[in-house]
Amino acid sequence: MKKEIFESDIGESYIKAVHPSGLKIYILEKPQYTSSYAVFGTKYGSIDTCFSVDGEETSVPEGIAHFLEHKLFESEDGDAFTKYAKTGAYANAFTSFDRTCYLFSCSDKFYENLAILLDFVQSPYFTEQTVQKEQGIIGQEIRMYDDSPGWRVMFNMLMQMYHNHPVRIDIAGTVESIAKIDYELLYKCYNTFYNPANMFICIAGNVDAEKALKQISEAVRAVEPIEITRINQPEPETVKSSYVEQSLAVAQPLFCFGYKEATSKPEKTVKERICTALLMEIIAGDSSPLYRQLVNDGLINDEFSTEHFNGYGYSSVIFEGESSDPKRVSEAIKREVERLKTEGIDKKLFSAVRCGMYGNAIRLFGNVESIAMQLVDCAMSDSELFDEIKYLKSVTVEDVYRHLSELDNEKTVLSVINPIELI
Amino acid sequence: MAEKLLRLADGVDGLFIKNDRFNTTLVSCNLYLPLKKETAASFALLPFILTSCCKKYPDFSRLNYKLNRMYGARLDATAEKYGDYQLLRMSVSVINDRFSLDGESLVKQACELLLRLIFEPATENGEFLEADVAREKRKAIEHIKGEYGEKRIYAKNRLIEEMYKNETYGMPKCGTVEEVEQISGSALFKAWEAMLKTAYIRFQVVGASLPAGLFDEISAKFADTQREAITDCKVSAPTAPAVTVNTVEELSEVNQGKLVMGFSSELYGNDDCSLPLTVMCDIFGGGPYSRLFANVREKMSLCYYCSASAVRQKGLLTVESGVETANAEAAQKEILNQLEAVKKGEFSDFEFDSSIKSICDSLNSYNDSQGALDTWYALKANNENLYSPTEIAQKISTVTREEVIAAANGVKLHTVYKLLPKGEKSI
């Protein structure tokens, strides 16, 4: 197995290994900790609805990646939760737009837990009967999210921001789309995206890296690597519509305001992501003049937040929260973006937010879960764990300023959830 | 060994939780006060206004700028119900000095800042400043209203309100919108004085070393404060069993209903007397091995989530579930069937062992989380013995089947609250 060790001046180091199957493995040892956190993941999420392998094109129903995640816990010899119950580990899984991750955390019996993880993720067992049962449970999960204002306000925005990109579709799909899923389709997706060459294992905590690597190496199936081509229809640079609203049983309006960013290449680099993160802090972080003005005008509260939402073929800068007047908030953000473009960025503010972000990057190394999840990000984007800290030391105000041009006030969407009573 | 408190002033304790694995240091101030209708709203506003500005940083923007300069130091504020008391928490956490790029004493600065925020607020002539009060009131009101949109939280709050109709525990933790609206700058100042005078106060430090002089400085801060009628938060009134079960059903514009059930428990109190309730609650509705998950969700597919939790201090057990209207009655029936099964000891050794292992595994992870450790000790103010998570794990591992069955037999249904989609009444 090919191995590399990465070290940093903050006293942390990790091993990156590549298994002959193509599986990537990242391990950061924390011998002074009691617990460990492990993730077995695949680059497969809700956006992978159309793909080709060896020239054969396949389209699958929306929500199938999430459905597969639910079903993978069941094996022929019982479900994974029952196996974990014998060790006491906490186990879970999640599906997002571009990844599916199976994880556990434990303070004892790490290698037993790792064996369970390696086994069930590589042992699919789908039958007509178990697929039918899951349609009921996931149907209820979908309905639960239909009532979640925070979820709806975000997806309504994505629906208007993207014409074609499947990021606009709810991760769990719809009751109608999941009804089209059968066990044969599940096997097809599994055999495509759960190929080790498309997967990664990330571990942080009280583990012996060499021992874990040996265990993983012995447990990974010998499968020929395959090349997956993701097929997306071309996505126009424009948004579908700049405003969308829905009414739900809430007491005050919620909003999600996003800038659609150009995606000249499918994924953003670490440098681009850091510049955008700094830029969002400069535009509307809690030390910014805009944040001060919005709070003093009674337009935002502590729920206000920013996010750089990006993945394969999509990128958006998002501002969200609660407000009595979402339109005024979005207009104020647009004005601030224009002001910064004209007047430039306050160097003192840049220096302060960069310092804050550097401290936050250090802070993440104090928690095994956050380290493991950062390693997952590294595996997804082929970057390295210490890149952020390194780049934060050298990034300049000019670097950040250049990214302002990505924010175009003509390519924005404001999504609002209004209280039902007002309609 | 249980942790030991250091007395810093009358009713003011210091607790240093030594743990050298973190790259940050956390200092928290925890204030315990009686939960009363007339004071709940103003007390609850205090942690938020105090951590938004102070005499030295009268503008919240400047304060946030300072926090950024301190390598992203974090200020946190909460106001929670703690049994029949209110727990106000303010904390600061900062990366350790060795990580600063220019050798700054970040931990010292963070301690100084926290003390300034608590003891030197931005006030004039015995009043908090009007703009600050208006801002924090608005945010508090929006927060209260915001809970209505989160139906899981809303349904649980409504259950507690119904279950403890004429008791303090039934009150909202931060008061009502109307009560917040009435708070004035001078009333808030009086509440701040009362808080410093009458709260039981615990300063906690979680980190590699105790910042030099911190506890002495805190003692000195209280030298001029007349401490009186100090809150004793050791005992909360237990939940009395209901004479008849109260069922409340409300309709809302939702797609999925919420079924929340409240139970009284005869077993209640602190860590020395109520741990079997934790195990019982976990076997009943904890992890995927639990009766509720395995039967109500997995076997019968009645809901996506169905879980139980307990407030041992109050002798309260709750079950929360998201259900379709058509399934609400069946789900309620099955939840009660599963409780009966636990009462009769009809749980397997696998379920019992899984529960003990899961609770212990989770407790043994606490030492790896600074925030979790701080919260752990803050929530132990009702205990004479401050057991560590590891010590509680050891105690949990000695809980017997018989103790679990006895705990289950003291659990009685008290109130059922259902939030259902409009036009789909279940009964």
Side-chain angles (χ1 to χ4, degrees), chain A residues 34-35 86 88 106-107 140-141 143 147 249 252 286-287 292 295 298 300-302 351 362-363 420, chain B residues 21 23 59 61 64 68-69 72 93 138-139 142 151 253 255-256 298 301 303-304 324 357 361 368:
Chain A
T34 311
S35 56
K86 289 177 185 154
C106 65
S107 55
Q140 292 183 52
E141 188 181 356
R143 283 163 74 82
D147 285 331
Q252 58 198 343
D286 60 13
S287 309
R292 185 175 189 275
V295 170
I300 57 169
N301 57 33
D302 294 342
S351 168
I362 301 266
R363 188 186 284 274
I420 279 171
Chain B
R21 65 191 70 171
N23 53 16
D59 181 298
S61 246
N64 291 334
N68 263 323
R69 293 262 30 141
S93 104
R138 172 183 67 81
K139 290 203 279 186
E142 289 177 3
K151 295 297 178 243
E253 299 281 353
N255 289 294
Q256 188 186 71
E298 288 296 300
S301 295
C303 48
Y304 173 65
E324 306 296 322
K357 276 185 197 147
D361 194 281
D368 290 347

Side-chain angles (χ1 to χ4, degrees), chain A residues 71-86:
Chain A
K71 289 322 301 167
L72 205 53
F73 276 90
E74 285 172 19
S75 299
E76 219 164 348
D77 60 342
D79 77 290
F81 283 127
T82 310
K83 293 172 190 166
Y84 280 122
K86 289 177 185 154

